[in-house]
Amino acid sequence: MSEQPIGEPPASGPEAPRPRIPGNPLVWLTGGALLVAVIALVIAIVAVSGGGGDAKPSGQSGTAGATGPVGPAPGAGGSAGAPPTGPAGPAPAPSAVPADCPKATTTVSDAKDLEDALSAAQPGNVIVLRDGVYEGKFVASKAADKDNPIYLCGGSGAVLDGGGVKAGYVLHLDGASYWRVLGLTLRNGQKGLMADHVQGALIQGLTVEQIGDEGIHLRNFSSDNVVRGNTVRNTGNRRDTFGEGIYVGTAESNWCTVSDCKPDNSDRNVVEGNTITDTTSESVDIKEGTTGGQVINNTFDGAKFSGSHADSWIDVKGNDWLIQGNQGHNSKLDGFQTHEVVKGWGSNNVFKGNTAEVNGPGYGFNFTPVNGNKADCDNKVTAADKGFGNIPCA
């Protein structure tokens, strides 16, 4: 087929001839290839320099035009597929500060900071402890008020360590009314937490362990306090006779030492929802002189009872207490007891809805003397060799 002359309109139809390229076809082909190469080079230069609107999104590694940092090549610094070397991963998360704790006004990280914060505390302050071990015996002595309590908070990883079980209190609330002590771990003192002359305090969510005598003690006219949701264990490491878990009031033999020779009227205290195990003496000891408190919904295990007076989970020597909804397992003798140590005390206490798996030689309920004390028939007693009680249920 002959070439079509320049300037003539193309032929129509399926047999129309192809347009004729003027000049040498080899020159045209060479020039076109050169033009394509130049265009490709320009595009490549623009892409490498980060220009243009079509760059890959940030973070796509190994691609020209990525705006984020480029990651190491696979296998760099080690065998193929090995993770890159560098600092260790994040440390374990700190233990959580209790949700009931407001935002900190003071945050402490060592024993000296804590001592200073306790000394300077004013109503409305919130002292928060970072995780760590705080060695020493700590005292709070500034009273707050009902509408502006003082908070002392930390997670279980914030540990107050008293340095030994022979003497001293790990934490002493000395006249520190309306404090809120939440979440901490207390260990390694003669007593864990001692409250003297304290009103309206909340002691909640603590772990109290490795203690010489009692775990938590309210005394010296400490009234209207709440001890709730704590774990108390491993007490009596100094003398097993004094290894109670929670202790309310003062024995008559110590009234002249502690309460000016008067009955220690530590009244209307609430002991609720605590777990008390591995104590050498009673789980809860309620002393003569106390009135109108409650011990409710706690769990006890007396398998480690060994002290000379450790023969029940709860021993009530005060008046008008409500003992309700508790669960006890394993006792050296009885489940629940009352006693009249001082004339007129140890009377009119009510026991309701408790569960006693005694696994011991005594009663579920042993009232000596009865003195108006009452055990309702909704209490459940098992594995007590002498049966439900020394009196019938009411």
Side-chain angles (χ1 to χ4, degrees):
M1 181 180 292
S2 62
E3 293 182 355
Q4 183 174 327
I6 298 173
E8 292 185 8
S12 60
E15 298 298 325
R18 294 178 183 179
R20 182 168 179 261
I21 301 173
N24 190 335
L26 180 59
V27 173
W28 277 94
L29 290 172
T30 303
L34 179 61
L35 179 60
V36 170
V38 170
I39 293 171
L41 179 61
V42 171
I43 293 173
I45 292 171
V46 172
V48 170
S49 66
D54 295 328
K56 294 280 188 178
S58 171
Q60 291 190 5
S61 61
T63 304
T67 58
V70 178
S79 60
T85 59
S95 54
V97 174
D100 294 346
C101 187
K103 183 179 180 181
T105 60
T106 302
T107 300
V108 301
S109 56
D110 60 40
K112 181 61 166 60
D113 286 348
L114 177 56
E115 289 173 352
D116 291 346
L118 294 174
S119 178
Q122 297 296 325
N125 285 178
V126 179
I127 304 168
V128 174
L129 282 69
R130 292 191 174 96
D131 280 2
V133 177
Y134 298 74
E135 294 186 0
K137 297 175 174 67
F138 301 94
V139 180
S141 57
K142 298 289 183 69
D145 59 67
K146 185 176 182 180
D147 295 328
N148 293 285
I150 297 173
Y151 284 81
L152 179 63
C153 309
S156 60
V159 180
L160 307 189
D161 190 312
V165 301
K166 299 297 185 183
Y169 316 139
V170 180
L171 178 61
H172 190 188
L173 302 183
D174 189 8
S177 294
Y178 299 105
W179 279 60
R180 307 283 182 263
V181 183
L182 309 179
L184 308 170
T185 294
L186 278 57
R187 71 184 186 200
N188 212 19
Q190 180 183 344
K191 301 191 183 191
L193 186 148
M194 171 66 81
D196 279 315
H197 213 322
V198 169
Q199 317 298 315
L202 173 64
I203 299 162
Q204 179 170 291
L206 307 185
T207 298
V208 183
E209 59 188 5
Q210 301 173 31
I211 301 300
D213 294 347
E214 305 94 357
I216 298 173
H217 189 168
L218 309 180
R219 73 175 186 187
N220 197 7
F221 306 101
S222 291
S223 297
D224 301 300
N225 303 293
V226 176
V227 180
R228 175 186 294 142
N230 303 285
T231 297
V232 181
R233 59 195 179 203
N234 192 12
T235 64
N237 290 292
R238 186 183 75 96
R239 287 190 62 187
D240 59 3
T241 299
F242 302 138
E244 292 90 349
I246 297 175
Y247 193 106
V248 182
T250 302
E252 184 269 340
S253 58
N254 289 322
W255 284 353
C256 287
T257 302
V258 174
S259 54
D260 197 23
C261 296
K262 300 173 183 176
D264 182 355
N265 301 142
S266 291
D267 298 336
R268 298 176 303 280
N269 292 295
V270 175
V271 177
E272 178 183 7
N274 303 281
T275 300
I276 305 174
T277 61
D278 294 340
T279 63
T280 59
S281 200
E282 295 95 338
S283 305
V284 179
D285 197 356
I286 299 167
K287 308 309 287 186
E288 54 272 21
T290 65
T291 302
Q294 301 178 28
V295 181
I296 55 179
N297 298 331
N298 301 280
T299 300
F300 315 122
D301 192 325
K304 294 292 183 69
F305 285 171
S306 58
S308 57
H309 302 297
D311 51 8
S312 63
W313 305 305
I314 301 180
D315 189 348
V316 186
K317 306 176 190 74
N319 292 348
D320 302 312
W321 280 75
L322 172 64
I323 314 298
Q324 182 172 3
N326 302 285
Q327 295 190 21
H329 308 273
N330 306 310
S331 178
K332 193 175 173 183
L333 182 60
D334 301 317
F336 302 88
Q337 295 179 349
T338 66
H339 290 96
E340 185 184 59
V341 174
V342 175
K343 186 67 175 177
W345 292 101
S347 302
N348 302 314
N349 300 290
V350 175
F351 296 76
K352 301 174 64 174
N354 301 287
T355 299
E357 182 190 338
V358 179
N359 293 319
Y363 295 103
F365 299 87
N366 192 4
F367 302 153
T368 54
V370 175
N371 275 0
N373 296 301
K374 183 175 71 169
D376 286 9
C377 293
D378 61 0
N379 294 290
K380 297 179 180 179
V381 176
T382 59
D385 288 359
K386 291 186 177 180
F388 180 88
N390 65 327
I391 59 169
C393 66

